[in-house]
Amino acid sequence: MNSLLAELSASVSAAFADEGLAPELGTVQPSERAFAAVAQFQCNGALAAAKKAKANPRDLAEKIAKRLRLMPLFSEVSIAGPG
C-alpha cells in the first residue's frame, strides 16, 4: 500500500505544482473514518494552498481535480467539504 500512496502523492503533488502551488501540499493519505464510505484516499492540501494563494479553496480544488481526472491512475476524483 505504501507504494500506491507514494504514486498517488507524486501524481497529486505534480498537479499542485502544475497550478503553481507548493507540491508538498499534494500529499495523499488513506481517508479518515468519516470519509471512508465516500473515498479510499484523500488530500487536504487545497485549503492550505488556497490560503497561501488567497484563492477560493473550492475553485482551486476543482482545478487540481480537473488535472487528476486526465490521469489514468485515477478512476474517480471528487471534492468533498469546503475544498
PDB file of all heavy atoms in Angstrom, residues 12 22 24-26 30-31 33 35 50 53-54 61 67 69 74 76 82:
ATOM      1  N   VAL A  12      -0.578  13.700  -7.406  1.00  0.00           N
ATOM      2  CA  VAL A  12      -1.314  14.847  -6.878  1.00  0.00           C
ATOM      3  C   VAL A  12      -0.354  16.023  -6.652  1.00  0.00           C
ATOM      4  O   VAL A  12      -0.688  17.174  -6.966  1.00  0.00           O
ATOM      5  CB  VAL A  12      -2.081  14.474  -5.595  1.00  0.00           C
ATOM      6  CG1 VAL A  12      -2.768  15.689  -5.006  1.00  0.00           C
ATOM      7  CG2 VAL A  12      -3.102  13.379  -5.893  1.00  0.00           C
ATOM      8  N   ALA A  22       2.616  24.814  -4.011  1.00  0.00           N
ATOM      9  CA  ALA A  22       3.637  24.001  -3.358  1.00  0.00           C
ATOM     10  C   ALA A  22       3.298  22.521  -3.511  1.00  0.00           C
ATOM     11  O   ALA A  22       2.234  22.075  -3.067  1.00  0.00           O
ATOM     12  CB  ALA A  22       3.737  24.361  -1.880  1.00  0.00           C
ATOM     13  N   GLU A  24       4.323  19.910  -2.021  1.00  0.00           N
ATOM     14  CA  GLU A  24       4.201  19.143  -0.775  1.00  0.00           C
ATOM     15  C   GLU A  24       2.779  19.175  -0.218  1.00  0.00           C
ATOM     16  O   GLU A  24       2.415  18.344   0.618  1.00  0.00           O
ATOM     17  CB  GLU A  24       5.205  19.611   0.284  1.00  0.00           C
ATOM     18  CG  GLU A  24       5.073  21.039   0.705  1.00  0.00           C
ATOM     19  CD  GLU A  24       5.874  22.032  -0.141  1.00  0.00           C
ATOM     20  OE1 GLU A  24       6.397  21.663  -1.206  1.00  0.00           O
ATOM     21  OE2 GLU A  24       5.961  23.194   0.280  1.00  0.00           O
ATOM     22  N   LEU A  25       1.949  20.090  -0.688  1.00  0.00           N
ATOM     23  CA  LEU A  25       0.551  20.133  -0.256  1.00  0.00           C
ATOM     24  C   LEU A  25      -0.284  19.040  -0.928  1.00  0.00           C
ATOM     25  O   LEU A  25      -1.422  18.814  -0.565  1.00  0.00           O
ATOM     26  CB  LEU A  25      -0.053  21.507  -0.553  1.00  0.00           C
ATOM     27  CG  LEU A  25       0.558  22.661   0.238  1.00  0.00           C
ATOM     28  CD1 LEU A  25      -0.011  23.983  -0.232  1.00  0.00           C
ATOM     29  CD2 LEU A  25       0.333  22.468   1.724  1.00  0.00           C
ATOM     30  N   GLY A  26       0.306  18.327  -1.880  1.00  0.00           N
ATOM     31  CA  GLY A  26      -0.396  17.268  -2.587  1.00  0.00           C
ATOM     32  C   GLY A  26      -0.251  15.894  -1.965  1.00  0.00           C
ATOM     33  O   GLY A  26      -0.531  14.890  -2.623  1.00  0.00           O
ATOM     34  N   PRO A  30      -4.693   7.734   3.411  1.00  0.00           N
ATOM     35  CA  PRO A  30      -5.943   6.966   3.443  1.00  0.00           C
ATOM     36  C   PRO A  30      -7.043   7.852   4.024  1.00  0.00           C
ATOM     37  O   PRO A  30      -6.785   8.697   4.882  1.00  0.00           O
ATOM     38  CB  PRO A  30      -5.633   5.804   4.383  1.00  0.00           C
ATOM     39  CG  PRO A  30      -4.149   5.667   4.335  1.00  0.00           C
ATOM     40  CD  PRO A  30      -3.620   7.067   4.152  1.00  0.00           C
ATOM     41  N   SER A  31      -8.258   7.692   3.540  1.00  0.00           N
ATOM     42  CA  SER A  31      -9.373   8.516   4.019  1.00  0.00           C
ATOM     43  C   SER A  31      -9.593   8.335   5.507  1.00  0.00           C
ATOM     44  O   SER A  31      -9.463   7.229   6.042  1.00  0.00           O
ATOM     45  CB  SER A  31     -10.655   8.161   3.272  1.00  0.00           C
ATOM     46  OG  SER A  31     -10.583   8.622   1.959  1.00  0.00           O
ATOM     47  N   ARG A  33     -11.902   8.213   8.877  1.00  0.00           N
ATOM     48  CA  ARG A  33     -13.075   7.384   9.148  1.00  0.00           C
ATOM     49  C   ARG A  33     -14.368   7.976   8.578  1.00  0.00           C
ATOM     50  O   ARG A  33     -15.167   7.277   7.978  1.00  0.00           O
ATOM     51  CB  ARG A  33     -13.205   7.183  10.652  1.00  0.00           C
ATOM     52  CG  ARG A  33     -14.224   6.188  11.040  1.00  0.00           C
ATOM     53  CD  ARG A  33     -14.228   5.890  12.496  1.00  0.00           C
ATOM     54  NE  ARG A  33     -13.578   6.946  13.265  1.00  0.00           N
ATOM     55  CZ  ARG A  33     -13.486   6.969  14.561  1.00  0.00           C
ATOM     56  NH1 ARG A  33     -14.003   6.001  15.258  1.00  0.00           N
ATOM     57  NH2 ARG A  33     -12.884   7.940  15.197  1.00  0.00           N
ATOM     58  N   PHE A  35     -14.856   9.818   6.040  1.00  0.00           N
ATOM     59  CA  PHE A  35     -14.897   9.822   4.585  1.00  0.00           C
ATOM     60  C   PHE A  35     -14.684   8.444   3.973  1.00  0.00           C
ATOM     61  O   PHE A  35     -14.768   8.286   2.766  1.00  0.00           O
ATOM     62  CB  PHE A  35     -13.838  10.781   4.027  1.00  0.00           C
ATOM     63  CG  PHE A  35     -14.067  12.203   4.408  1.00  0.00           C
ATOM     64  CD1 PHE A  35     -13.190  12.857   5.266  1.00  0.00           C
ATOM     65  CD2 PHE A  35     -15.165  12.899   3.930  1.00  0.00           C
ATOM     66  CE1 PHE A  35     -13.394  14.178   5.618  1.00  0.00           C
ATOM     67  CE2 PHE A  35     -15.386  14.219   4.279  1.00  0.00           C
ATOM     68  CZ  PHE A  35     -14.493  14.861   5.123  1.00  0.00           C
ATOM     69  N   ALA A  50      -5.033  27.315  -0.962  1.00  0.00           N
ATOM     70  CA  ALA A  50      -5.900  28.453  -1.228  1.00  0.00           C
ATOM     71  C   ALA A  50      -5.601  29.614  -0.282  1.00  0.00           C
ATOM     72  O   ALA A  50      -5.616  30.776  -0.695  1.00  0.00           O
ATOM     73  CB  ALA A  50      -7.361  28.032  -1.117  1.00  0.00           C
ATOM     74  N   ALA A  53      -2.455  31.193  -1.554  1.00  0.00           N
ATOM     75  CA  ALA A  53      -2.656  31.855  -2.842  1.00  0.00           C
ATOM     76  C   ALA A  53      -3.765  32.908  -2.781  1.00  0.00           C
ATOM     77  O   ALA A  53      -4.017  33.588  -3.772  1.00  0.00           O
ATOM     78  CB  ALA A  53      -3.002  30.816  -3.903  1.00  0.00           C
ATOM     79  N   LYS A  54      -4.419  33.037  -1.618  1.00  0.00           N
ATOM     80  CA  LYS A  54      -5.555  33.946  -1.451  1.00  0.00           C
ATOM     81  C   LYS A  54      -6.592  33.695  -2.545  1.00  0.00           C
ATOM     82  O   LYS A  54      -7.019  34.594  -3.260  1.00  0.00           O
ATOM     83  CB  LYS A  54      -5.087  35.397  -1.433  1.00  0.00           C
ATOM     84  CG  LYS A  54      -4.181  35.686  -0.257  1.00  0.00           C
ATOM     85  CD  LYS A  54      -3.760  37.110  -0.194  1.00  0.00           C
ATOM     86  CE  LYS A  54      -2.856  37.255   1.028  1.00  0.00           C
ATOM     87  NZ  LYS A  54      -2.228  38.523   1.129  1.00  0.00           N
ATOM     88  N   ALA A  61      -9.456  23.572  -5.724  1.00  0.00           N
ATOM     89  CA  ALA A  61      -9.601  22.109  -5.689  1.00  0.00           C
ATOM     90  C   ALA A  61     -10.132  21.593  -7.025  1.00  0.00           C
ATOM     91  O   ALA A  61      -9.698  20.540  -7.507  1.00  0.00           O
ATOM     92  CB  ALA A  61     -10.526  21.696  -4.546  1.00  0.00           C
ATOM     93  N   ARG A  67      -7.145  18.310 -13.463  1.00  0.00           N
ATOM     94  CA  ARG A  67      -5.868  17.733 -13.906  1.00  0.00           C
ATOM     95  C   ARG A  67      -5.797  16.246 -13.569  1.00  0.00           C
ATOM     96  O   ARG A  67      -5.352  15.432 -14.371  1.00  0.00           O
ATOM     97  CB  ARG A  67      -4.693  18.466 -13.277  1.00  0.00           C
ATOM     98  CG  ARG A  67      -4.487  19.860 -13.802  1.00  0.00           C
ATOM     99  CD  ARG A  67      -3.264  20.501 -13.153  1.00  0.00           C
ATOM    100  NE  ARG A  67      -3.052  21.838 -13.647  1.00  0.00           N
ATOM    101  CZ  ARG A  67      -2.443  22.144 -14.792  1.00  0.00           C
ATOM    102  NH1 ARG A  67      -1.969  21.192 -15.554  1.00  0.00           N
ATOM    103  NH2 ARG A  67      -2.288  23.402 -15.164  1.00  0.00           N
ATOM    104  N   ARG A  69      -8.232  14.129 -13.151  1.00  0.00           N
ATOM    105  CA  ARG A  69      -9.182  13.336 -13.942  1.00  0.00           C
ATOM    106  C   ARG A  69      -8.609  12.928 -15.299  1.00  0.00           C
ATOM    107  O   ARG A  69      -9.096  11.982 -15.909  1.00  0.00           O
ATOM    108  CB  ARG A  69     -10.481  14.115 -14.129  1.00  0.00           C
ATOM    109  CG  ARG A  69     -11.293  14.205 -12.854  1.00  0.00           C
ATOM    110  CD  ARG A  69     -12.607  14.952 -13.068  1.00  0.00           C
ATOM    111  NE  ARG A  69     -13.258  15.161 -11.784  1.00  0.00           N
ATOM    112  CZ  ARG A  69     -13.462  16.368 -11.228  1.00  0.00           C
ATOM    113  NH1 ARG A  69     -13.100  17.471 -11.860  1.00  0.00           N
ATOM    114  NH2 ARG A  69     -14.049  16.448 -10.050  1.00  0.00           N
ATOM    115  N   PHE A  74      -6.269   7.461 -11.818  1.00  0.00           N
ATOM    116  CA  PHE A  74      -7.461   7.723 -11.018  1.00  0.00           C
ATOM    117  C   PHE A  74      -8.718   7.264 -11.737  1.00  0.00           C
ATOM    118  O   PHE A  74      -8.974   7.658 -12.868  1.00  0.00           O
ATOM    119  CB  PHE A  74      -7.568   9.225 -10.703  1.00  0.00           C
ATOM    120  CG  PHE A  74      -6.393   9.742  -9.930  1.00  0.00           C
ATOM    121  CD1 PHE A  74      -5.333  10.351 -10.576  1.00  0.00           C
ATOM    122  CD2 PHE A  74      -6.340   9.610  -8.558  1.00  0.00           C
ATOM    123  CE1 PHE A  74      -4.236  10.818  -9.872  1.00  0.00           C
ATOM    124  CE2 PHE A  74      -5.251  10.072  -7.841  1.00  0.00           C
ATOM    125  CZ  PHE A  74      -4.196  10.675  -8.503  1.00  0.00           C
ATOM    126  N   GLU A  76     -11.732   7.789 -10.264  1.00  0.00           N
ATOM    127  CA  GLU A  76     -12.701   8.829  -9.917  1.00  0.00           C
ATOM    128  C   GLU A  76     -12.010   9.882  -9.044  1.00  0.00           C
ATOM    129  O   GLU A  76     -11.200   9.528  -8.183  1.00  0.00           O
ATOM    130  CB  GLU A  76     -13.880   8.231  -9.151  1.00  0.00           C
ATOM    131  CG  GLU A  76     -14.961   9.212  -8.827  1.00  0.00           C
ATOM    132  CD  GLU A  76     -16.131   8.590  -8.083  1.00  0.00           C
ATOM    133  OE1 GLU A  76     -16.313   7.371  -8.183  1.00  0.00           O
ATOM    134  OE2 GLU A  76     -16.843   9.339  -7.416  1.00  0.00           O
ATOM    135  N   PRO A  82     -15.318  21.787   2.083  1.00  0.00           N
ATOM    136  CA  PRO A  82     -15.105  23.124   1.559  1.00  0.00           C
ATOM    137  C   PRO A  82     -14.126  23.183   0.386  1.00  0.00           C
ATOM    138  O   PRO A  82     -14.143  24.115  -0.383  1.00  0.00           O
ATOM    139  CB  PRO A  82     -14.571  23.932   2.736  1.00  0.00           C
ATOM    140  CG  PRO A  82     -14.348  22.976   3.826  1.00  0.00           C
ATOM    141  CD  PRO A  82     -14.890  21.644   3.445  1.00  0.00           C
TER     142      PRO A  82
END
